[in-house]
Amino acid sequence: MRLLLAAVLAAASTLCALGASQTPIVIETDNTALVYTVGNDGRLYQQYLGKRLLDPADYDAAPRGPEAYITAGMEDYYTPALAIKHADGNPSTLLTFKGMKVTEPQPGQRTTVITLTDEKYGDTVDLVFDAFSATDVIKAHSVITNGEKKPLALREYSSAMLHFDRPDYYLTQYNGNWASEARQSEPQRLAFGKKVLDTKLGARAAMFLSPFFTLGLDTPAAETSGDVLVGTLGWTGNFSTTFEVDHQGRLRLVSGINPEASTLKLAAGEKFQTPEFIFTFSDKGTGQASRNLHRWARDYQLHNGNQERMTILNNWEATGCDFDEQKLISILADAKDLGVDLFLLDDGWFGNKYPRSDDHQGLGDWDVTHSKLPNGIGRLTQAADSIGVKFGIWIEPEMVNPRSELYEKHPNWVIQLPNREPYYFRNQMVLDLSNPKVQDFVFSVVDDLMTQNPEIASMKWDCNSPITNIYSQYEGDQDRLYVDYTRGLYNVLERVRQKYPDLDMMMCSGGGGRCDYEGLKYFDHFWASDNTDPEERIYIQWGMSQVFPPKTLCSHVTSWDHQASMKFRTDVALMGKLGFDLKVSDMTDSDKAYARAAVKAHRELAPAISDGDFFRLYSPYDGDHAAWQMLSRDGSLGVVEAFDLHPRYGQRRPILRLQGLDPAARYELQEILRADTSEGPAKTYSGDYLMTVGLPLFTGSELSSRVYRLRRK
Ligand code: GLA
C-alpha cells in the first residue's frame, strides 16, 4: 500500500523550468524553509533559510542571498562548493538554472531536484534536497555529471552549501580522541575567515572529531531557546565542513567529502554523487534540534530504526583474548543470570598459524582457533540456544596484522606504500577496499560465519586503524583511494544487508571512531567509546546525543572506575542501548540484583528510553551535576535521571525543571531502581508544576544517581 502510494505520488511529480520572474523554489518542512530563487542572470540564489513563514508569498520579500552553489574561478573569492578543472585547463565553472523536479518518494518526504548547467561546457549539477516534514530534517546532496567529451577533474565537490546573514555565529564542535570522544567545545564566535572541521584519517575517520556540529545563530546555542542549525555529514570516511565568514559578515557553510588528496577524474558522461549533508534548523534551541534528528533517524535512516534493541553481555573487558570454550560457556550462563538478551564474543577467537592471543597477530585469519574452541562457534551457539540467550560475535574484517596468513597470501591486498617502511597503527594495516576482490573477501567474512552458524544474531564490526601508508596496489589513480575505500565499504555493507537484513550489527571503531548517518543505514547502533568510566560516559553520551538517538548509543556497564557504585554505573548506561562488560563472577549478589532489575526496567521503559524523545535537562559542562529525561512519543511514560558528580560542600543545588509535558495533565513521579532495587513513594504533580517550578532531584553526594519513572495519569 505504502509502495503504491509512493508510486502514485512520484507519478504526480512536477518538472518545470523557472524564469527569474517566477515564484521561488520553496523546500519546506512543518517548521523550516529553505528557499531559492533564479536571478535575471539565470543563476540560482539562496533567498531564505530559517523558520517557515506562514505565507509563502513573504519569501519574495526576503533579501536575496548569495549564489546557492558557488563555483570556483568566477567572481567569488571564498571557499567554493564546486571546483572543476576542465579538459582544456579552464578552472572556472558557471552554473545557470535549467529546471527542477519535485517528487514524494514516501509519505512525509518531499524531494526537490534543482538542475544547474554550465552552458559552455555542458556539465550539470543536480542539487537534491529531501525534506522530511514532521521532523524538520533536510538532507542535501549533489550529483555532478561530466557533460564534456573529455575527462574533467573535480577538485571540490561539496554535498551542500548554505548561507547565513546574521549578526553573529557561534560554532560548537565535538572532538576528542580514543576514550574521549565527542567532547563538546565552548561555542566559538566565528569571525572573518575560515574554520574547518575535517578529518584525513580514512577508515577510523571520526577518531579525533565527530562529524557533526551545532551552529548558534545570533547567540551561542542554548538547550531550550534560540536559533540553531545542527548538521552532520553521512560519510564513513574523510569529511570536511567549512565555516567561512566573508568581508560583509556573511557566513557560508560548505560540507562534503574532504577533497584533500582526493581530486576525482570524471570520464565523459560519468556522474558523481556526493554523500548526504543532513541538517535541522530549530528556533527553540539544540534540544529540539536533537529530538528532530532522533525521530527522523528512527523513522527514515537508521537500520531497523523502530525495532527493539537487545541488551547484551560482552566479554572484552572481562577476558580480553584469554578464554576457552569452558570459560565462554560459563559467561553465557552469566548472561542468562543477568537476564540480558545476547552474549557477544569479542576479539580473540580466530587464527591458527598465528592465533589471536593479543592484537599483534592473527587479524585477517577468520578461522576459529582450534586450541581455544575445539568444537567451533557451533558449540557456543548451541550452548546459547539451550539456555535461551542469543549469540553474537566480533569481527574486524577490513584490517590485517602483518603476522597473519592473509598477509602472507595476499600482500597486494593491503594498503601500503612502495619504498617505505610501513607504519603500523595498533600493529595492523588496512585492506584495500577499492579492490573488488578485497570487497568479496570482506563480504565472505560475514557470509561464511553466517552460512556456517546461521544462529548468529549479532555482529560487532570493528575498525581499529585509520588508513596508514596510503597507497593502493590496485588503483591506477591514487587520488581516488580515500573515496573508493569508503564506497567499497558501502558495497560490502549493501551486500551484507541484502542477504542478512535482520542481523543486528554494531558499528565500532576503537570506540567511537565511526559515527555517521550513512554508516547507520547499515548498522543498528554504534559503540560510542571504549571509555566506560561512568562519569566520562555522561559527557560522551551527552555529546553523541546531540545528533544520535539513545537507542544507537551502546552503553555498557563495566569495572572502569571502582569508586562509582554499581547503581551509578548502571544508571548512566540505562539511557542508551544497555549492556554489560565485566566479570559477572566477581559481582556481589546485590550488584547482580541491581543489574537484573535494570535490565528489566530498561525493557519496560523502552517506549521512553529507546523510542521516545530525549531531553537534556542539566549539562555536566555546567557544574557538578547532570540530568536527562526520556518521554514516550505518546507522552504517557517517562524516565528522569539525575546524577551528582562532585558537588562541593554547602553548594546550592539547581532545581530540575522537566520538559515536554502536557501542562494540564497530572503525572505520577516515582523513584525506581533505588540501590536495593526498591521503589520509592509515588507523588503526583501537574505537568505545569514539573515544568515551571521543578523538583530538587540533585543531592550533595559524590557520584550518586537517581532514576524516576513518570506516568501520565
Ligand atoms: C576495540 C573495541 C573494543 C574491543 C577491542 C577488541 O578497541 O572498541 O570494544 O572490541 O577493539 O580488540
mmCIF file of all heavy atoms in Angstrom, residues 673-695:
data_model
loop_
_atom_site.group_PDB
_atom_site.id
_atom_site.type_symbol
_atom_site.label_atom_id
_atom_site.label_comp_id
_atom_site.label_asym_id
_atom_site.label_seq_id
_atom_site.Cartn_x
_atom_site.Cartn_y
_atom_site.Cartn_z
ATOM 1 N N LEU A 673 14.451 1.771 40.944
ATOM 2 C CA LEU A 673 15.855 1.319 40.940
ATOM 3 C C LEU A 673 16.663 2.027 42.025
ATOM 4 O O LEU A 673 17.757 2.562 41.759
ATOM 5 C CB LEU A 673 16.493 1.570 39.564
ATOM 6 C CG LEU A 673 15.992 0.708 38.405
ATOM 7 C CD1 LEU A 673 16.584 1.177 37.086
ATOM 8 C CD2 LEU A 673 16.332 -0.764 38.627
ATOM 9 N N ARG A 674 16.109 2.047 43.252
ATOM 10 C CA ARG A 674 16.956 2.521 44.348
ATOM 11 C C ARG A 674 18.050 1.473 44.554
ATOM 12 O O ARG A 674 17.956 0.362 44.026
ATOM 13 C CB ARG A 674 16.109 2.728 45.598
ATOM 14 C CG ARG A 674 15.040 3.811 45.327
ATOM 15 C CD ARG A 674 14.521 4.484 46.556
ATOM 16 N NE ARG A 674 13.744 3.593 47.387
ATOM 17 C CZ ARG A 674 12.975 4.011 48.392
ATOM 18 N NH1 ARG A 674 12.858 5.303 48.652
ATOM 19 N NH2 ARG A 674 12.314 3.151 49.123
ATOM 20 N N ALA A 675 19.080 1.793 45.320
ATOM 21 C CA ALA A 675 20.258 0.905 45.381
ATOM 22 C C ALA A 675 19.870 -0.545 45.703
ATOM 23 O O ALA A 675 20.483 -1.483 45.202
ATOM 24 C CB ALA A 675 21.239 1.441 46.392
ATOM 25 N N ASP A 676 18.820 -0.716 46.520
ATOM 26 C CA ASP A 676 18.407 -2.095 46.845
ATOM 27 C C ASP A 676 17.319 -2.577 45.878
ATOM 28 O O ASP A 676 16.605 -3.533 46.178
ATOM 29 C CB ASP A 676 17.912 -2.167 48.289
ATOM 30 C CG ASP A 676 16.701 -1.265 48.516
ATOM 31 O OD1 ASP A 676 16.262 -0.577 47.550
ATOM 32 O OD2 ASP A 676 16.169 -1.232 49.641
ATOM 33 N N THR A 677 17.162 -1.895 44.763
ATOM 34 C CA THR A 677 16.203 -2.168 43.668
ATOM 35 C C THR A 677 14.748 -1.821 44.032
ATOM 36 O O THR A 677 13.844 -2.018 43.215
ATOM 37 C CB THR A 677 16.243 -3.638 43.136
ATOM 38 O OG1 THR A 677 15.587 -4.486 44.053
ATOM 39 C CG2 THR A 677 17.646 -4.110 42.871
ATOM 40 N N SER A 678 14.528 -1.309 45.243
ATOM 41 C CA SER A 678 13.150 -0.998 45.635
ATOM 42 C C SER A 678 12.678 0.295 44.955
ATOM 43 O O SER A 678 13.479 1.031 44.367
ATOM 44 C CB SER A 678 13.059 -0.829 47.149
ATOM 45 O OG SER A 678 13.806 0.306 47.520
ATOM 46 N N GLU A 679 11.381 0.559 45.083
ATOM 47 C CA GLU A 679 10.811 1.791 44.534
ATOM 48 C C GLU A 679 10.465 2.733 45.675
ATOM 49 O O GLU A 679 10.102 2.289 46.763
ATOM 50 C CB GLU A 679 9.547 1.472 43.728
ATOM 51 C CG GLU A 679 9.840 0.549 42.558
ATOM 52 C CD GLU A 679 8.674 0.408 41.597
ATOM 53 O OE1 GLU A 679 7.538 0.728 41.987
ATOM 54 O OE2 GLU A 679 8.936 -0.019 40.451
ATOM 55 N N GLY A 680 10.540 4.024 45.433
ATOM 56 C CA GLY A 680 10.175 4.999 46.454
ATOM 57 C C GLY A 680 8.688 5.302 46.397
ATOM 58 O O GLY A 680 7.962 4.746 45.571
ATOM 59 N N PRO A 681 8.216 6.188 47.259
ATOM 60 C CA PRO A 681 6.801 6.545 47.241
ATOM 61 C C PRO A 681 6.458 7.354 45.977
ATOM 62 O O PRO A 681 7.297 8.105 45.485
ATOM 63 C CB PRO A 681 6.632 7.420 48.489
ATOM 64 C CG PRO A 681 8.005 7.888 48.824
ATOM 65 C CD PRO A 681 8.981 6.890 48.291
ATOM 66 N N ALA A 682 5.244 7.164 45.489
ATOM 67 C CA ALA A 682 4.821 7.903 44.286
ATOM 68 C C ALA A 682 4.196 9.229 44.696
ATOM 69 O O ALA A 682 3.500 9.307 45.708
ATOM 70 C CB ALA A 682 3.824 7.071 43.506
ATOM 71 N N LYS A 683 4.469 10.274 43.937
ATOM 72 C CA LYS A 683 3.848 11.577 44.202
ATOM 73 C C LYS A 683 3.268 12.085 42.899
ATOM 74 O O LYS A 683 3.818 11.803 41.828
ATOM 75 C CB LYS A 683 4.890 12.568 44.688
ATOM 76 C CG LYS A 683 5.300 12.368 46.110
ATOM 77 C CD LYS A 683 6.084 13.587 46.552
ATOM 78 C CE LYS A 683 6.625 13.343 47.965
ATOM 79 N NZ LYS A 683 7.763 14.157 48.255
ATOM 80 N N THR A 684 2.185 12.856 43.010
ATOM 81 C CA THR A 684 1.545 13.333 41.790
ATOM 82 C C THR A 684 1.688 14.852 41.675
ATOM 83 O O THR A 684 1.541 15.586 42.662
ATOM 84 C CB THR A 684 0.057 12.925 41.801
ATOM 85 O OG1 THR A 684 0.018 11.508 41.897
ATOM 86 C CG2 THR A 684 -0.636 13.359 40.531
ATOM 87 N N TYR A 685 2.000 15.301 40.469
ATOM 88 C CA TYR A 685 2.176 16.736 40.189
ATOM 89 C C TYR A 685 1.495 17.049 38.861
ATOM 90 O O TYR A 685 1.317 16.167 38.014
ATOM 91 C CB TYR A 685 3.654 17.081 40.006
ATOM 92 C CG TYR A 685 4.567 16.710 41.141
ATOM 93 C CD1 TYR A 685 5.143 15.441 41.194
ATOM 94 C CD2 TYR A 685 4.884 17.632 42.132
ATOM 95 C CE1 TYR A 685 6.012 15.104 42.217
ATOM 96 C CE2 TYR A 685 5.757 17.302 43.161
ATOM 97 C CZ TYR A 685 6.312 16.025 43.198
ATOM 98 O OH TYR A 685 7.176 15.702 44.201
ATOM 99 N N SER A 686 1.221 18.318 38.652
ATOM 100 C CA SER A 686 0.758 18.696 37.312
ATOM 101 C C SER A 686 1.980 18.871 36.406
ATOM 102 O O SER A 686 3.086 19.171 36.886
ATOM 103 C CB SER A 686 -0.017 20.017 37.369
ATOM 104 O OG SER A 686 0.877 21.072 37.632
ATOM 105 N N GLY A 687 1.755 18.699 35.103
ATOM 106 C CA GLY A 687 2.838 18.947 34.150
ATOM 107 C C GLY A 687 3.330 20.378 34.279
ATOM 108 O O GLY A 687 4.526 20.663 34.177
ATOM 109 N N ASP A 688 2.393 21.277 34.508
ATOM 110 C CA ASP A 688 2.713 22.690 34.668
ATOM 111 C C ASP A 688 3.719 22.886 35.807
ATOM 112 O O ASP A 688 4.742 23.563 35.658
ATOM 113 C CB ASP A 688 1.396 23.434 34.974
ATOM 114 C CG ASP A 688 1.551 24.936 34.871
ATOM 115 O OD1 ASP A 688 2.488 25.370 34.181
ATOM 116 O OD2 ASP A 688 0.732 25.650 35.476
ATOM 117 N N TYR A 689 3.437 22.255 36.951
ATOM 118 C CA TYR A 689 4.318 22.384 38.115
ATOM 119 C C TYR A 689 5.708 21.824 37.792
ATOM 120 O O TYR A 689 6.735 22.455 38.044
ATOM 121 C CB TYR A 689 3.703 21.647 39.311
ATOM 122 C CG TYR A 689 4.519 21.800 40.569
ATOM 123 C CD1 TYR A 689 4.286 22.865 41.446
ATOM 124 C CD2 TYR A 689 5.544 20.897 40.875
ATOM 125 C CE1 TYR A 689 5.056 23.018 42.595
ATOM 126 C CE2 TYR A 689 6.318 21.046 42.014
ATOM 127 C CZ TYR A 689 6.067 22.108 42.873
ATOM 128 O OH TYR A 689 6.833 22.267 44.002
ATOM 129 N N LEU A 690 5.723 20.631 37.197
ATOM 130 C CA LEU A 690 7.019 19.976 36.937
ATOM 131 C C LEU A 690 7.875 20.787 35.963
ATOM 132 O O LEU A 690 9.091 20.796 36.054
ATOM 133 C CB LEU A 690 6.794 18.565 36.374
ATOM 134 C CG LEU A 690 6.216 17.565 37.381
ATOM 135 C CD1 LEU A 690 5.800 16.273 36.681
ATOM 136 C CD2 LEU A 690 7.226 17.256 38.490
ATOM 137 N N MET A 691 7.194 21.484 35.036
ATOM 138 C CA MET A 691 7.962 22.236 34.039
ATOM 139 C C MET A 691 8.279 23.665 34.489
ATOM 140 O O MET A 691 9.246 24.255 34.043
ATOM 141 C CB MET A 691 7.206 22.272 32.707
ATOM 142 C CG MET A 691 7.115 20.903 32.043
ATOM 143 S SD MET A 691 6.585 20.993 30.332
ATOM 144 C CE MET A 691 4.904 21.554 30.509
ATOM 145 N N THR A 692 7.435 24.208 35.382
ATOM 146 C CA THR A 692 7.619 25.613 35.765
ATOM 147 C C THR A 692 8.363 25.758 37.087
ATOM 148 O O THR A 692 9.283 26.561 37.219
ATOM 149 C CB THR A 692 6.242 26.308 35.890
ATOM 150 O OG1 THR A 692 5.493 25.984 34.735
ATOM 151 C CG2 THR A 692 6.376 27.808 36.020
ATOM 152 N N VAL A 693 7.957 24.978 38.068
ATOM 153 C CA VAL A 693 8.590 25.074 39.394
ATOM 154 C C VAL A 693 9.759 24.093 39.468
ATOM 155 O O VAL A 693 10.870 24.442 39.850
ATOM 156 C CB VAL A 693 7.565 24.779 40.511
ATOM 157 C CG1 VAL A 693 8.216 24.869 41.882
ATOM 158 C CG2 VAL A 693 6.386 25.749 40.404
ATOM 159 N N GLY A 694 9.504 22.858 39.084
ATOM 160 C CA GLY A 694 10.576 21.856 39.075
ATOM 161 C C GLY A 694 10.772 21.189 40.416
ATOM 162 O O GLY A 694 10.080 21.498 41.398
ATOM 163 N N LEU A 695 11.754 20.305 40.462
ATOM 164 C CA LEU A 695 11.956 19.486 41.657
ATOM 165 C C LEU A 695 13.430 19.468 42.072
ATOM 166 O O LEU A 695 14.318 19.519 41.217
ATOM 167 C CB LEU A 695 11.532 18.039 41.368
ATOM 168 C CG LEU A 695 10.048 17.812 41.058
ATOM 169 C CD1 LEU A 695 9.848 16.403 40.538
ATOM 170 C CD2 LEU A 695 9.192 18.066 42.295
#
